[in-house]
């Protein structure tokens, strides 16, 4: 499958396949096992509250405290919308996995699907939270990493578009 392919595309592909495979496996396992119990959620909330109290003793900047509180809101929203959020996250990971396979098969639609996957994965939190509750640094970091990987994949577009080498889908 990796014969005659640019090394950079193979490396990126393997990294993305590992990442998306783990995300798919994790998502399916979570969907099968179901949402966390009330006891697990209570324990998680107590641990987070303890972390916030400990952090406040260090007298951090208000921005850091706001970020921690927003992370707690995200955790609560994910638990409240467990099946929906886990389902769409798993679906987005499947799109990412399929996009890499398509790119490795020299299908340009794989690159386009990867862009869609990257954007949807970066903004998926907006499906369960209002924009005011989402920490901007979280979105910025996600979009920066997505942009970096899109750029790295785009460096292989010439090979993906090149039709001189026949594609053997059964290698």
């Amino acid at each position: 499958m990796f014969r005659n392919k640019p090394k950079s595309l193979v490396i990126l592909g393997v990294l993305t396949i590992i990442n998306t495979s783990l995300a798919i496996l994790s998502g399916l396992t979570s969907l099968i096992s179901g949402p966390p119990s009330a006891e697990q959620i209570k324990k998680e909330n107590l641990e987070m509250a303890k972390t916030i109290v400990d952090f406040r003793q260090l007298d951090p900047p208000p921005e850091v405290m706001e970020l921690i509180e927003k992370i707690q809101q995200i955790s609560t929203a994910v638990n409240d919308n467990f099946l929906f959020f886990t389902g769409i996250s798993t679906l987005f990971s499947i799109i990412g996995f399929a996009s890499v396979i398509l790119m490795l098969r020299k299908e340009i639609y794989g690159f386009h699907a990867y862009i869609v996957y990257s954007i949807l994965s970066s903004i998926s939190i907006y499906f369960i939270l209002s924009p005011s509750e989402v920490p901007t640094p979280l979105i910025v970091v996600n979009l920066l990493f997505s942009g970096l990987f899109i750029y790295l994949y785009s460096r292989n577009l010439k090979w993906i578009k090149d039709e001189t080498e026949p594609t053997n889908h059964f290698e």
Side-chain angles (χ1 to χ4, degrees):
M1 179 180 202
F2 298 126
R3 217 172 324 137
N4 301 324
K5 293 179 178 31
K7 287 181 184 177
S8 61
L9 179 63
V10 171
I11 292 168
L12 288 168
V14 167
L15 289 173
T16 304
I17 287 171
I18 290 170
N19 180 49
T20 55
S21 296
L22 290 174
I24 292 166
L25 183 62
S26 173
L28 292 175
T29 303
S30 294
L31 287 171
I32 291 169
S33 65
S37 67
E39 183 179 306
Q40 290 171 320
I41 292 172
K42 184 178 179 181
K43 182 180 176 184
E44 184 180 301
N45 287 341
L46 286 173
E47 288 175 9
M48 187 60 140
K50 184 181 181 314
T51 302
I52 290 172
V53 168
D54 291 345
F55 221 76
R56 279 206 174 114
Q57 292 175 352
L58 299 173
D59 196 29
E63 297 84 13
V64 173
M65 285 310 301
E66 181 182 348
L67 181 63
I68 291 172
E69 289 167 358
K70 285 186 177 186
I71 289 171
Q72 184 178 21
Q73 290 173 341
I74 290 172
S75 177
T76 301
V78 167
N79 287 333
D80 291 346
N81 301 287
F82 180 81
L83 291 177
F84 174 72
F85 188 73
T86 304
I88 63 168
S89 296
T90 304
L91 176 64
F92 296 160
S93 296
I94 291 169
I95 292 170
F97 182 87
S99 70
V100 172
I101 299 302
L102 289 172
M103 280 190 278
L104 291 171
R105 291 183 172 185
K106 295 185 76 162
E107 303 276 344
I108 190 66
Y109 296 112
F111 180 69
H112 300 295
Y114 187 81
I115 293 170
V116 170
Y117 153 72
S118 296
I119 292 169
L120 288 174
S121 294
S122 294
I123 65 166
S124 62
I125 198 69
Y126 287 117
F127 290 112
I128 60 171
L129 282 174
S130 70
S132 64
E133 296 173 321
V134 178
T136 303
L138 175 73
I139 299 303
V140 169
V141 169
N142 283 340
L143 288 173
L144 284 173
F145 275 106
S146 292
L148 173 65
F149 271 77
I150 290 169
Y151 170 74
L152 292 172
Y153 274 113
S154 74
R155 307 278 294 157
N156 296 287
L157 282 176
K158 183 177 179 185
W159 178 85
I160 293 171
K161 291 179 181 180
D162 183 16
E163 295 181 18
T164 58
E165 176 188 323
T167 304
N168 183 355
H169 296 292
F170 300 105
E171 287 183 17

